[in-house]
Amino acid sequence: MTLSQEQLDLVEAAKGARENAHAAYSKFLVGAAIRLRDGRVFVGANVEICVFPLGVCAERNAVAAAVVAGAKYGDFERVVVVGHAVELTPPCGACRQVLAEFADASLEIVTYNLSNGEYAEYSLGDLLPNAFTGANLIQP
Ligand code: THU
């Protein structure tokens, strides 16, 4: 599989965001870009805080940017995550759950490794099978 021009454009957007990551403690910079079905792109980078649990991942910051701009459930077309490591950087479990708040299992997620040009493409369902969703909150 090769990345499409649209996917490569998102890699570039995520790379730009990654340059603004505040990864003062881990030194692990991550960028994310979300493209909406209407073509708009929103980016995020990880923002770490000296009280470590308060840090927020790149993906969740990109989700917040999209939602604040009006994105609703079903509007996300694809997400690209960019890291620089020996291994690929897939979204963490918390970010998978947050993505599931706004997208179904078919959401495309691409992760791209700046250190070697490797990438992988998943669906949200691949990464978060049997997700707990709002539907699971409905009580008899
Ligand atoms: N991180 C992300 O931003 N996204 C991921 O997909 C994995 C991890 C961040 C969180 C933390 O700031 C740093 O990378 C190390 O875990």
Side-chain angles (χ1 to χ4, degrees):
M1 154 217 160
T2 54
L3 293 177
S4 67
Q5 190 55 50
E6 247 182 47
Q7 290 170 321
L8 289 169
D9 289 347
L10 282 190
V11 168
E12 286 307 308
K15 266 170 75 173
R18 181 180 173 276
E19 284 162 20
N20 291 328
H22 176 65
Y25 305 101
S26 71
K27 312 293 183 200
F28 191 83
L29 286 69
V30 184
I34 297 175
R35 182 183 153 98
L36 305 187
R37 296 187 196 284
D38 67 11
R40 287 184 294 162
V41 172
F42 296 92
V43 297
N46 52 331
V47 177
E48 296 181 352
I49 306 297
C50 63
V51 179
F52 296 164
L54 299 183
V56 181
C57 292
E59 295 90 324
R60 270 177 286 155
N61 280 328
V63 168
V67 170
V68 168
K72 306 285 186 232
Y73 183 88
D75 288 347
F76 294 3
E77 184 178 71
R78 60 170 51 95
V79 181
V80 170
V81 184
V82 167
H84 185 287
V86 173
E87 301 288 341
L88 290 167
T89 304
C92 79
C95 289
R96 295 175 195 197
Q97 185 69 45
V98 168
L99 288 167
E101 185 74 17
F102 296 101
D104 68 20
S106 69
L107 178 68
E108 178 188 307
I109 300 175
V110 172
T111 179
Y112 183 90
N113 190 348
L114 289 173
S115 74
N116 57 15
E118 286 182 5
Y119 52 84
E121 181 179 324
Y122 317 99
S123 69
L124 181 57
D126 294 332
L127 298 182
L128 190 68
N130 302 314
F132 181 87
T133 70
N136 299 106
L137 287 173
I138 299 169
Q139 299 181 50

